[in-house]
Amino acid sequence: MYSPELFFRRPEFIHSLQQVIEFLGTFAFAISGIRHAAAKKFDWFGGFVCGIAVAIGGGTIRDVMLGVTPFWMTSSIYMICTIFAQVFVIVFSKSLKRLDNTWFAFDTLGLALFTIAGMQKTLACGFPFWIAIIMGCMTGCAGGVIRDVLLNNIPVIFHKEIYALASIVGGVTYWVMYSLGIDVSVTVVTVFSVVCVIRYLAVRFHISLPQLPTEDE
Amino acid sequence: MYSPELFFRRPEFIHSLQQVIEFLGTFAFAISGIRHAAAKKFDWFGGFVCGIAVAIGGGTIRDVMLGVTPFWMTSSIYMICTIFAQVFVIVFSKSLKRLDNTWFAFDTLGLALFTIAGMQKTLACGFPFWIAIIMGCMTGCAGGVIRDVLLNNIPVIFHKEIYALASIVGGVTYWVMYSLGIDVSVTVVTVFSVVCVIRYLAVRFHISLPQLPTEDE
Amino acid sequence: MYSPELFFRRPEFIHSLQQVIEFLGTFAFAISGIRHAAAKKFDWFGGFVCGIAVAIGGGTIRDVMLGVTPFWMTSSIYMICTIFAQVFVIVFSKSLKRLDNTWFAFDTLGLALFTIAGMQKTLACGFPFWIAIIMGCMTGCAGGVIRDVLLNNIPVIFHKEIYALASIVGGVTYWVMYSLGIDVSVTVVTVFSVVCVIRYLAVRFHISLPQLPTEDE
């Protein structure tokens, strides 16, 4: 019989799992930045900057606002991961498109993990839940906005995909479950699933947020 | 007989008045961001981000540079105000244009108040007046620049309207009056009026700053 | 006989030389921002903001990430230097193009100096060398990216010129020489020369980084 509790009694397994997801998520985020850069004919340096911007941009803004040292300055893993992503894009450029479902999966895992990580860090700094939700969303989403600004594009999450909303609903779920006194392990797994499922359903069924009304009719 | 001193002897009145102006200013700033987002066909999330960017962007950059916690993380009023603005734009989209003079008035009040608030916070942190003037201007103006960057527009205050200049002249007025030893209440009211009047006159008489000279003739 | 050691025994000379280079570099950076702003028909305020963005943008992001007060808030010299640059562009707009080699020289000196200054400040804050290299590069390069974002252009250093790479190679050189226990004065002069020479050669022989591969062939 499958027993999720088993995992939670093995903290070293959870820790490793989290690190694997963080690596996959960072990798997928960096790949996204580098591919967009390639589409605009950026050079290797521009590609790396766009990759790193997606991978660490959101968390960096969060940490600056929280008043702590940006997370990527405490471990070189994010830089290394982006270098891997850069090499991967350069070597396997012709195969990237075929792997689109893989990137989507990794990216979604990353969004879910970064949302939770951003929330937990904010709560650990003593801020209330509504700020944690904003920071969780920012951790997952702001990097993509920076990428689009650097590429001189209109940020895609502002007019096309449901992306930030998955993070926000996940954040609210976290708040509700915490308020109900539910065990934190159960909460984290639930929030993680909620973010992934919403993101998946939105893309699968082409669900998007309503547009703002225009004035000129 | 009208006596402005009377108000200053009632600090709770001044405090309430300041809060009302701050709410109106934040509301007008958020409306400006959301309307610009609507013009670019952003969805609800994009509209909210643009609204909040105008409302809190300048003050956030100021606070990060001053090394203090961003002001909007200490009170949820700015988020709530932006949510109101968002609902207002969605419900009353057809009436927004007719209220343009109202938005202009609120926006001008906001610019004046945020200039003064930004200066006073900077001075309270122990920085000299020239930094306070820059921070006052940034508090009032940087949000609009962030909005234009997110919308992939050229920032309007860089080439069209006199906006930042009103804030800067207000800041210099503050400095001069402070150096002359004038009472702070009188100074604040004067600076507030100076910013509003300059902004009003610039728009009323289509006054703009000279363009930079071009090189290619 | 020429003896570079002589200079290093005269710290006041070195200090003055550093200040002169810093002023020239800041001036050239500001000129670059203002000229780009002029090409987009910005007004005087927009020109000043673009000038100051190039001059202090990179160092400001660095200082915010390091958790220290932005350097330009501790001395008014950077504002004054940008005001000079602004007046210069307005008065001598027709002569700017003829001086292009001068701007290039000043800009290159600035890049080299800001790289070293950014690295030394980061190391002094206790961070490891790989972060110092990133911060050195950011100090020299991020201002130009901010300028391009404000002007609604694609950042030029991402797809055209070798600029950041000169800074990074200089940073790696610093690291290697430091690890070898070489005297810091010799290291600084070498790094300075390396950055200048790479930048010069790249422009002289039209060397650029390879483009990222595109996916759609």
Side-chain angles (χ1 to χ4, degrees), chain A residues 29-30 32-35 37 42-57 79 82-83 86 143-144 146-148 150-151, chain C residues 134 137-138 141-142 145 149 155 157-159 164-165 168 209 212:
Chain A
F29 273 42
S32 135
I34 301 165
R35 288 179 76 187
F42 278 22
D43 63 25
W44 287 8
F45 175 74
F48 186 83
V49 172
C50 284
I52 202 77
V54 182
I56 69 169
M79 286 292 151
T82 304
I83 292 172
Q86 173 100 343
I146 298 175
R147 174 201 67 201
D148 292 335
L150 291 179
L151 290 158
Chain C
I134 294 169
C137 180
M138 205 178 275
C141 302
V145 175
V149 166
I157 68 165
F158 289 165
H159 66 103
L165 194 68
I168 293 167
L209 278 171
L212 290 169

mmCIF file of all heavy atoms in Angstrom, chain A residues 29-30 32-35 37 42-57 79 82-83 86 143-144 146-148 150-151, chain C residues 134 137-138 141-142 145 149 155 157-159 164-165 168 209 212:
data_model
loop_
_atom_site.group_PDB
_atom_site.id
_atom_site.type_symbol
_atom_site.label_atom_id
_atom_site.label_comp_id
_atom_site.label_asym_id
_atom_site.label_seq_id
_atom_site.Cartn_x
_atom_site.Cartn_y
_atom_site.Cartn_z
ATOM 1 N N PHE A 29 13.899 26.695 -15.987
ATOM 2 C CA PHE A 29 13.776 28.155 -16.019
ATOM 3 C C PHE A 29 14.894 28.756 -16.882
ATOM 4 O O PHE A 29 14.645 29.619 -17.727
ATOM 5 C CB PHE A 29 13.840 28.727 -14.594
ATOM 6 C CG PHE A 29 12.512 28.783 -13.886
ATOM 7 C CD1 PHE A 29 11.599 27.747 -13.970
ATOM 8 C CD2 PHE A 29 12.159 29.883 -13.111
ATOM 9 C CE1 PHE A 29 10.367 27.794 -13.320
ATOM 10 C CE2 PHE A 29 10.936 29.951 -12.448
ATOM 11 C CZ PHE A 29 10.050 28.907 -12.555
ATOM 12 N N ALA A 30 16.134 28.278 -16.658
ATOM 13 C CA ALA A 30 17.273 28.793 -17.425
ATOM 14 C C ALA A 30 17.100 28.481 -18.913
ATOM 15 O O ALA A 30 17.328 29.333 -19.774
ATOM 16 C CB ALA A 30 18.578 28.205 -16.891
ATOM 17 N N SER A 32 14.405 28.140 -20.535
ATOM 18 C CA SER A 32 13.382 29.050 -21.065
ATOM 19 C C SER A 32 13.991 30.405 -21.430
ATOM 20 O O SER A 32 13.730 30.962 -22.497
ATOM 21 C CB SER A 32 12.253 29.213 -20.035
ATOM 22 O OG SER A 32 11.867 30.550 -19.887
ATOM 23 N N GLY A 33 14.840 30.937 -20.538
ATOM 24 C CA GLY A 33 15.473 32.225 -20.817
ATOM 25 C C GLY A 33 16.400 32.155 -22.018
ATOM 26 O O GLY A 33 16.379 33.033 -22.890
ATOM 27 N N ILE A 34 17.186 31.088 -22.097
ATOM 28 C CA ILE A 34 18.176 30.973 -23.172
ATOM 29 C C ILE A 34 17.485 30.765 -24.520
ATOM 30 O O ILE A 34 17.890 31.324 -25.543
ATOM 31 C CB ILE A 34 19.167 29.828 -22.867
ATOM 32 C CG1 ILE A 34 19.879 30.096 -21.534
ATOM 33 C CG2 ILE A 34 20.186 29.674 -23.988
ATOM 34 C CD1 ILE A 34 20.603 28.897 -20.963
ATOM 35 N N ARG A 35 16.409 29.972 -24.532
ATOM 36 C CA ARG A 35 15.694 29.752 -25.802
ATOM 37 C C ARG A 35 15.061 31.042 -26.316
ATOM 38 O O ARG A 35 15.086 31.326 -27.514
ATOM 39 C CB ARG A 35 14.609 28.684 -25.628
ATOM 40 C CG ARG A 35 15.183 27.292 -25.478
ATOM 41 C CD ARG A 35 14.073 26.285 -25.282
ATOM 42 N NE ARG A 35 13.381 25.988 -26.520
ATOM 43 C CZ ARG A 35 12.274 25.231 -26.587
ATOM 44 N NH1 ARG A 35 11.758 24.734 -25.468
ATOM 45 N NH2 ARG A 35 11.707 24.979 -27.736
ATOM 46 N N ALA A 37 16.157 33.964 -25.703
ATOM 47 C CA ALA A 37 17.279 34.790 -26.159
ATOM 48 C C ALA A 37 17.737 34.355 -27.548
ATOM 49 O O ALA A 37 18.048 35.189 -28.402
ATOM 50 C CB ALA A 37 18.433 34.701 -25.158
ATOM 51 N N PHE A 42 20.370 36.548 -29.755
ATOM 52 C CA PHE A 42 21.358 37.004 -28.776
ATOM 53 C C PHE A 42 22.619 36.152 -28.903
ATOM 54 O O PHE A 42 22.585 35.029 -29.412
ATOM 55 C CB PHE A 42 20.799 36.850 -27.352
ATOM 56 C CG PHE A 42 19.907 37.989 -26.937
ATOM 57 C CD1 PHE A 42 19.289 38.804 -27.861
ATOM 58 C CD2 PHE A 42 19.695 38.260 -25.587
ATOM 59 C CE1 PHE A 42 18.466 39.854 -27.475
ATOM 60 C CE2 PHE A 42 18.875 39.308 -25.188
ATOM 61 C CZ PHE A 42 18.267 40.104 -26.129
ATOM 62 N N ASP A 43 23.736 36.686 -28.421
ATOM 63 C CA ASP A 43 24.967 35.899 -28.394
ATOM 64 C C ASP A 43 25.037 35.088 -27.091
ATOM 65 O O ASP A 43 24.103 35.110 -26.283
ATOM 66 C CB ASP A 43 26.204 36.792 -28.580
ATOM 67 C CG ASP A 43 26.375 37.799 -27.459
ATOM 68 O OD1 ASP A 43 25.879 37.561 -26.341
ATOM 69 O OD2 ASP A 43 27.017 38.835 -27.698
ATOM 70 N N TRP A 44 26.142 34.385 -26.891
ATOM 71 C CA TRP A 44 26.256 33.492 -25.745
ATOM 72 C C TRP A 44 26.120 34.231 -24.420
ATOM 73 O O TRP A 44 25.508 33.711 -23.479
ATOM 74 C CB TRP A 44 27.599 32.736 -25.793
ATOM 75 C CG TRP A 44 27.628 31.675 -26.838
ATOM 76 C CD1 TRP A 44 26.677 31.456 -27.804
ATOM 77 C CD2 TRP A 44 28.629 30.682 -27.035
ATOM 78 N NE1 TRP A 44 27.034 30.393 -28.586
ATOM 79 C CE2 TRP A 44 28.238 29.897 -28.138
ATOM 80 C CE3 TRP A 44 29.833 30.379 -26.407
ATOM 81 C CZ2 TRP A 44 28.996 28.836 -28.614
ATOM 82 C CZ3 TRP A 44 30.593 29.316 -26.878
ATOM 83 C CH2 TRP A 44 30.175 28.556 -27.974
ATOM 84 N N PHE A 45 26.701 35.412 -24.365
ATOM 85 C CA PHE A 45 26.599 36.171 -23.115
ATOM 86 C C PHE A 45 25.153 36.586 -22.851
ATOM 87 O O PHE A 45 24.632 36.421 -21.743
ATOM 88 C CB PHE A 45 27.508 37.413 -23.146
ATOM 89 C CG PHE A 45 27.340 38.285 -21.941
ATOM 90 C CD1 PHE A 45 27.857 37.894 -20.715
ATOM 91 C CD2 PHE A 45 26.640 39.484 -22.017
ATOM 92 C CE1 PHE A 45 27.693 38.686 -19.584
ATOM 93 C CE2 PHE A 45 26.468 40.275 -20.892
ATOM 94 C CZ PHE A 45 26.996 39.874 -19.673
ATOM 95 N N GLY A 46 24.485 37.103 -23.885
ATOM 96 C CA GLY A 46 23.087 37.506 -23.731
ATOM 97 C C GLY A 46 22.211 36.334 -23.336
ATOM 98 O O GLY A 46 21.286 36.474 -22.529
ATOM 99 N N GLY A 47 22.507 35.168 -23.914
ATOM 100 C CA GLY A 47 21.750 33.968 -23.568
ATOM 101 C C GLY A 47 21.927 33.600 -22.105
ATOM 102 O O GLY A 47 20.961 33.297 -21.400
ATOM 103 N N PHE A 48 23.171 33.669 -21.645
ATOM 104 C CA PHE A 48 23.431 33.319 -20.252
ATOM 105 C C PHE A 48 22.715 34.279 -19.302
ATOM 106 O O PHE A 48 22.103 33.845 -18.312
ATOM 107 C CB PHE A 48 24.940 33.327 -19.974
ATOM 108 C CG PHE A 48 25.271 32.849 -18.599
ATOM 109 C CD1 PHE A 48 25.356 31.489 -18.331
ATOM 110 C CD2 PHE A 48 25.474 33.741 -17.567
ATOM 111 C CE1 PHE A 48 25.642 31.035 -17.048
ATOM 112 C CE2 PHE A 48 25.758 33.295 -16.285
ATOM 113 C CZ PHE A 48 25.841 31.940 -16.022
ATOM 114 N N VAL A 49 22.771 35.570 -19.624
ATOM 115 C CA VAL A 49 22.120 36.553 -18.747
ATOM 116 C C VAL A 49 20.612 36.310 -18.700
ATOM 117 O O VAL A 49 19.997 36.349 -17.630
ATOM 118 C CB VAL A 49 22.435 37.993 -19.204
ATOM 119 C CG1 VAL A 49 21.609 39.007 -18.416
ATOM 120 C CG2 VAL A 49 23.914 38.293 -19.021
ATOM 121 N N CYS A 50 20.008 36.040 -19.867
ATOM 122 C CA CYS A 50 18.566 35.767 -19.872
ATOM 123 C C CYS A 50 18.249 34.486 -19.112
ATOM 124 O O CYS A 50 17.242 34.404 -18.398
ATOM 125 C CB CYS A 50 18.047 35.668 -21.312
ATOM 126 S SG CYS A 50 17.884 37.277 -22.086
ATOM 127 N N GLY A 51 19.095 33.489 -19.272
ATOM 128 C CA GLY A 51 18.885 32.238 -18.540
ATOM 129 C C GLY A 51 18.952 32.444 -17.038
ATOM 130 O O GLY A 51 18.065 32.019 -16.289
ATOM 131 N N ILE A 52 19.997 33.109 -16.596
ATOM 132 C CA ILE A 52 20.172 33.327 -15.160
ATOM 133 C C ILE A 52 19.077 34.247 -14.626
ATOM 134 O O ILE A 52 18.625 34.109 -13.479
ATOM 135 C CB ILE A 52 21.591 33.875 -14.857
ATOM 136 C CG1 ILE A 52 21.981 33.596 -13.416
ATOM 137 C CG2 ILE A 52 21.726 35.361 -15.124
ATOM 138 C CD1 ILE A 52 22.393 32.204 -13.139
ATOM 139 N N ALA A 53 18.625 35.182 -15.466
ATOM 140 C CA ALA A 53 17.574 36.108 -15.023
ATOM 141 C C ALA A 53 16.299 35.343 -14.691
ATOM 142 O O ALA A 53 15.647 35.605 -13.673
ATOM 143 C CB ALA A 53 17.292 37.156 -16.098
ATOM 144 N N VAL A 54 15.923 34.384 -15.539
ATOM 145 C CA VAL A 54 14.723 33.593 -15.260
ATOM 146 C C VAL A 54 14.953 32.713 -14.028
ATOM 147 O O VAL A 54 14.088 32.582 -13.172
ATOM 148 C CB VAL A 54 14.335 32.722 -16.472
ATOM 149 C CG1 VAL A 54 13.056 31.955 -16.180
ATOM 150 C CG2 VAL A 54 14.152 33.571 -17.719
ATOM 151 N N ALA A 55 16.167 32.124 -13.959
ATOM 152 C CA ALA A 55 16.445 31.161 -12.895
ATOM 153 C C ALA A 55 16.485 31.806 -11.514
ATOM 154 O O ALA A 55 15.993 31.240 -10.542
ATOM 155 C CB ALA A 55 17.766 30.437 -13.185
ATOM 156 N N ILE A 56 17.078 33.005 -11.415
ATOM 157 C CA ILE A 56 17.276 33.587 -10.082
ATOM 158 C C ILE A 56 16.602 34.940 -9.883
ATOM 159 O O ILE A 56 16.602 35.475 -8.765
ATOM 160 C CB ILE A 56 18.778 33.746 -9.761
ATOM 161 C CG1 ILE A 56 19.410 34.839 -10.636
ATOM 162 C CG2 ILE A 56 19.521 32.439 -9.902
ATOM 163 C CD1 ILE A 56 20.794 35.231 -10.193
ATOM 164 N N GLY A 57 16.022 35.513 -10.961
ATOM 165 C CA GLY A 57 15.488 36.878 -10.870
ATOM 166 C C GLY A 57 14.442 37.054 -9.790
ATOM 167 O O GLY A 57 14.515 37.974 -8.967
ATOM 168 N N MET A 79 24.371 29.069 -10.662
ATOM 169 C CA MET A 79 25.219 29.447 -11.792
ATOM 170 C C MET A 79 25.602 28.203 -12.591
ATOM 171 O O MET A 79 25.536 28.195 -13.818
ATOM 172 C CB MET A 79 26.513 30.120 -11.284
ATOM 173 C CG MET A 79 26.332 31.513 -10.764
ATOM 174 S SD MET A 79 25.914 32.676 -12.087
ATOM 175 C CE MET A 79 24.950 33.851 -11.124
ATOM 176 N N THR A 82 22.818 26.938 -14.660
ATOM 177 C CA THR A 82 22.575 27.757 -15.844
ATOM 178 C C THR A 82 23.637 27.504 -16.909
ATOM 179 O O THR A 82 23.350 27.511 -18.107
ATOM 180 C CB THR A 82 22.530 29.249 -15.458
ATOM 181 O OG1 THR A 82 21.539 29.429 -14.456
ATOM 182 C CG2 THR A 82 22.204 30.116 -16.657
ATOM 183 N N ILE A 83 24.875 27.281 -16.480
ATOM 184 C CA ILE A 83 25.930 26.944 -17.443
ATOM 185 C C ILE A 83 25.586 25.629 -18.149
ATOM 186 O O ILE A 83 25.694 25.531 -19.379
ATOM 187 C CB ILE A 83 27.308 26.857 -16.740
ATOM 188 C CG1 ILE A 83 27.730 28.248 -16.261
ATOM 189 C CG2 ILE A 83 28.363 26.255 -17.667
ATOM 190 C CD1 ILE A 83 28.978 28.272 -15.391
ATOM 191 N N GLN A 86 22.936 26.330 -20.665
ATOM 192 C CA GLN A 86 23.499 27.035 -21.820
ATOM 193 C C GLN A 86 24.183 26.043 -22.769
ATOM 194 O O GLN A 86 23.938 26.056 -23.975
ATOM 195 C CB GLN A 86 24.518 28.066 -21.302
ATOM 196 C CG GLN A 86 25.320 28.766 -22.371
ATOM 197 C CD GLN A 86 24.765 30.134 -22.663
ATOM 198 O OE1 GLN A 86 23.638 30.456 -22.327
ATOM 199 N NE2 GLN A 86 25.557 30.939 -23.304
ATOM 200 N N GLY A 143 11.056 36.207 -12.553
ATOM 201 C CA GLY A 143 12.171 35.936 -13.459
ATOM 202 C C GLY A 143 11.748 35.975 -14.916
ATOM 203 O O GLY A 143 12.445 36.535 -15.762
ATOM 204 N N GLY A 144 10.582 35.395 -15.206
ATOM 205 C CA GLY A 144 10.082 35.415 -16.577
ATOM 206 C C GLY A 144 9.751 36.818 -17.060
ATOM 207 O O GLY A 144 9.910 37.131 -18.238
ATOM 208 N N ILE A 146 11.331 39.569 -16.013
ATOM 209 C CA ILE A 146 12.631 40.202 -16.287
ATOM 210 C C ILE A 146 13.146 39.744 -17.649
ATOM 211 O O ILE A 146 13.639 40.556 -18.440
ATOM 212 C CB ILE A 146 13.649 39.849 -15.181
ATOM 213 C CG1 ILE A 146 13.167 40.386 -13.829
ATOM 214 C CG2 ILE A 146 15.030 40.401 -15.514
ATOM 215 C CD1 ILE A 146 14.036 39.975 -12.662
ATOM 216 N N ARG A 147 13.028 38.453 -17.924
ATOM 217 C CA ARG A 147 13.442 37.927 -19.232
ATOM 218 C C ARG A 147 12.751 38.689 -20.362
ATOM 219 O O ARG A 147 13.402 39.155 -21.302
ATOM 220 C CB ARG A 147 13.074 36.439 -19.310
ATOM 221 C CG ARG A 147 13.310 35.791 -20.672
ATOM 222 C CD ARG A 147 12.472 34.526 -20.815
ATOM 223 N NE ARG A 147 11.045 34.854 -20.856
ATOM 224 C CZ ARG A 147 10.044 34.017 -20.590
ATOM 225 N NH1 ARG A 147 10.326 32.773 -20.265
ATOM 226 N NH2 ARG A 147 8.776 34.404 -20.653
ATOM 227 N N ASP A 148 11.422 38.838 -20.251
ATOM 228 C CA ASP A 148 10.682 39.496 -21.327
ATOM 229 C C ASP A 148 11.076 40.967 -21.460
ATOM 230 O O ASP A 148 11.125 41.508 -22.568
ATOM 231 C CB ASP A 148 9.174 39.355 -21.085
ATOM 232 C CG ASP A 148 8.723 37.908 -21.247
ATOM 233 O OD1 ASP A 148 9.399 37.154 -21.961
ATOM 234 O OD2 ASP A 148 7.686 37.531 -20.664
ATOM 235 N N LEU A 150 14.071 42.214 -20.740
ATOM 236 C CA LEU A 150 15.398 42.240 -21.367
ATOM 237 C C LEU A 150 15.313 41.945 -22.859
ATOM 238 O O LEU A 150 16.117 42.431 -23.649
ATOM 239 C CB LEU A 150 16.322 41.209 -20.696
ATOM 240 C CG LEU A 150 16.751 41.502 -19.265
ATOM 241 C CD1 LEU A 150 17.630 40.375 -18.741
ATOM 242 C CD2 LEU A 150 17.498 42.826 -19.172
ATOM 243 N N LEU A 151 14.331 41.137 -23.251
ATOM 244 C CA LEU A 151 14.168 40.784 -24.662
ATOM 245 C C LEU A 151 13.331 41.799 -25.415
ATOM 246 O O LEU A 151 13.070 41.644 -26.603
ATOM 247 C CB LEU A 151 13.507 39.403 -24.773
ATOM 248 C CG LEU A 151 14.356 38.219 -24.345
ATOM 249 C CD1 LEU A 151 13.482 37.034 -23.992
ATOM 250 C CD2 LEU A 151 15.332 37.851 -25.442
ATOM 251 N N ILE C 134 31.241 38.224 -10.912
ATOM 252 C CA ILE C 134 29.898 38.603 -11.365
ATOM 253 C C ILE C 134 29.615 40.066 -11.010
ATOM 254 O O ILE C 134 29.110 40.831 -11.840
ATOM 255 C CB ILE C 134 28.842 37.683 -10.715
ATOM 256 C CG1 ILE C 134 29.014 36.244 -11.222
ATOM 257 C CG2 ILE C 134 27.432 38.188 -11.007
ATOM 258 C CD1 ILE C 134 28.190 35.231 -10.449
ATOM 259 N N CYS C 137 31.582 42.477 -13.215
ATOM 260 C CA CYS C 137 30.941 42.556 -14.533
ATOM 261 C C CYS C 137 29.662 43.387 -14.451
ATOM 262 O O CYS C 137 29.387 44.225 -15.311
ATOM 263 C CB CYS C 137 30.651 41.143 -15.033
ATOM 264 S SG CYS C 137 29.865 41.096 -16.642
ATOM 265 N N MET C 138 28.884 43.182 -13.394
ATOM 266 C CA MET C 138 27.640 43.926 -13.235
ATOM 267 C C MET C 138 27.901 45.421 -13.049
ATOM 268 O O MET C 138 27.217 46.253 -13.627
ATOM 269 C CB MET C 138 26.882 43.370 -12.030
ATOM 270 C CG MET C 138 25.403 43.611 -12.096
ATOM 271 S SD MET C 138 24.598 42.878 -10.669
ATOM 272 C CE MET C 138 24.378 41.202 -11.224
ATOM 273 N N CYS C 141 28.715 46.705 -16.539
ATOM 274 C CA CYS C 141 27.817 46.445 -17.674
ATOM 275 C C CYS C 141 26.338 46.704 -17.418
ATOM 276 O O CYS C 141 25.591 47.003 -18.362
ATOM 277 C CB CYS C 141 27.944 44.990 -18.121
ATOM 278 S SG CYS C 141 29.609 44.544 -18.575
ATOM 279 N N ALA C 142 25.857 46.577 -16.192
ATOM 280 C CA ALA C 142 24.414 46.607 -15.968
ATOM 281 C C ALA C 142 23.805 47.979 -16.271
ATOM 282 O O ALA C 142 22.648 48.068 -16.700
ATOM 283 C CB ALA C 142 24.084 46.182 -14.534
ATOM 284 N N VAL C 145 22.633 48.153 -19.727
ATOM 285 C CA VAL C 145 21.417 47.358 -19.935
ATOM 286 C C VAL C 145 20.193 48.153 -19.454
ATOM 287 O O VAL C 145 19.165 48.198 -20.145
ATOM 288 C CB VAL C 145 21.515 46.001 -19.200
ATOM 289 C CG1 VAL C 145 20.212 45.238 -19.305
ATOM 290 C CG2 VAL C 145 22.663 45.180 -19.765
ATOM 291 N N VAL C 149 16.915 49.272 -21.619
ATOM 292 C CA VAL C 149 15.542 48.954 -21.202
ATOM 293 C C VAL C 149 14.706 50.231 -21.134
ATOM 294 O O VAL C 149 13.571 50.273 -21.620
ATOM 295 C CB VAL C 149 15.543 48.211 -19.848
ATOM 296 C CG1 VAL C 149 14.145 48.172 -19.248
ATOM 297 C CG2 VAL C 149 16.084 46.791 -20.017
ATOM 298 N N PRO C 155 18.957 45.276 -25.314
ATOM 299 C CA PRO C 155 20.292 45.597 -24.796
ATOM 300 C C PRO C 155 21.389 45.206 -25.777
ATOM 301 O O PRO C 155 21.478 44.053 -26.206
ATOM 302 C CB PRO C 155 20.369 44.779 -23.505
ATOM 303 C CG PRO C 155 18.961 44.692 -23.033
ATOM 304 C CD PRO C 155 18.150 44.559 -24.296
ATOM 305 N N ILE C 157 24.595 44.907 -25.472
ATOM 306 C CA ILE C 157 25.685 43.997 -25.077
ATOM 307 C C ILE C 157 25.251 42.541 -25.128
ATOM 308 O O ILE C 157 26.048 41.647 -24.899
ATOM 309 C CB ILE C 157 26.241 44.310 -23.671
ATOM 310 C CG1 ILE C 157 25.222 44.009 -22.578
ATOM 311 C CG2 ILE C 157 26.729 45.733 -23.570
ATOM 312 C CD1 ILE C 157 25.855 43.950 -21.199
ATOM 313 N N PHE C 158 23.976 42.291 -25.410
ATOM 314 C CA PHE C 158 23.505 40.907 -25.484
ATOM 315 C C PHE C 158 23.604 40.326 -26.888
ATOM 316 O O PHE C 158 23.431 39.128 -27.078
ATOM 317 C CB PHE C 158 22.044 40.804 -25.034
ATOM 318 C CG PHE C 158 21.850 41.012 -23.566
ATOM 319 C CD1 PHE C 158 20.587 41.267 -23.048
ATOM 320 C CD2 PHE C 158 22.917 40.947 -22.684
ATOM 321 C CE1 PHE C 158 20.402 41.460 -21.689
ATOM 322 C CE2 PHE C 158 22.741 41.137 -21.324
ATOM 323 C CZ PHE C 158 21.478 41.391 -20.832
ATOM 324 N N HIS C 159 23.843 41.170 -27.886
ATOM 325 C CA HIS C 159 23.815 40.607 -29.235
ATOM 326 C C HIS C 159 24.814 41.234 -30.195
ATOM 327 O O HIS C 159 24.851 40.867 -31.367
ATOM 328 C CB HIS C 159 22.407 40.737 -29.825
ATOM 329 C CG HIS C 159 21.974 42.149 -30.066
ATOM 330 N ND1 HIS C 159 21.970 42.699 -31.308
ATOM 331 C CD2 HIS C 159 21.565 43.121 -29.222
ATOM 332 C CE1 HIS C 159 21.542 43.959 -31.223
ATOM 333 N NE2 HIS C 159 21.296 44.234 -29.968
ATOM 334 N N ALA C 164 30.951 42.743 -21.916
ATOM 335 C CA ALA C 164 30.951 42.043 -20.641
ATOM 336 C C ALA C 164 32.083 41.029 -20.578
ATOM 337 O O ALA C 164 32.698 40.832 -19.526
ATOM 338 C CB ALA C 164 29.608 41.352 -20.434
ATOM 339 N N LEU C 165 32.392 40.415 -21.718
ATOM 340 C CA LEU C 165 33.419 39.381 -21.705
ATOM 341 C C LEU C 165 34.779 39.950 -21.284
ATOM 342 O O LEU C 165 35.543 39.280 -20.571
ATOM 343 C CB LEU C 165 33.536 38.736 -23.098
ATOM 344 C CG LEU C 165 34.317 37.431 -23.121
ATOM 345 C CD1 LEU C 165 33.547 36.338 -22.384
ATOM 346 C CD2 LEU C 165 34.650 36.999 -24.534
ATOM 347 N N ILE C 168 34.715 40.023 -17.642
ATOM 348 C CA ILE C 168 34.788 38.691 -17.024
ATOM 349 C C ILE C 168 36.204 38.115 -17.119
ATOM 350 O O ILE C 168 36.724 37.567 -16.149
ATOM 351 C CB ILE C 168 33.759 37.742 -17.688
ATOM 352 C CG1 ILE C 168 32.342 38.209 -17.348
ATOM 353 C CG2 ILE C 168 33.981 36.306 -17.242
ATOM 354 C CD1 ILE C 168 31.250 37.557 -18.173
ATOM 355 N N LEU C 209 31.017 37.564 -29.944
ATOM 356 C CA LEU C 209 30.720 36.227 -29.445
ATOM 357 C C LEU C 209 29.833 35.490 -30.440
ATOM 358 O O LEU C 209 29.063 36.119 -31.182
ATOM 359 C CB LEU C 209 29.990 36.316 -28.107
ATOM 360 C CG LEU C 209 30.867 36.534 -26.872
ATOM 361 C CD1 LEU C 209 29.994 36.822 -25.671
ATOM 362 C CD2 LEU C 209 31.687 35.273 -26.618
ATOM 363 N N LEU C 212 23.683 32.422 -30.342
ATOM 364 C CA LEU C 212 23.020 31.187 -29.938
ATOM 365 C C LEU C 212 22.420 30.524 -31.172
ATOM 366 O O LEU C 212 21.981 31.218 -32.101
ATOM 367 C CB LEU C 212 21.910 31.487 -28.934
ATOM 368 C CG LEU C 212 22.357 31.938 -27.540
ATOM 369 C CD1 LEU C 212 21.156 32.461 -26.763
ATOM 370 C CD2 LEU C 212 22.993 30.788 -26.777
#
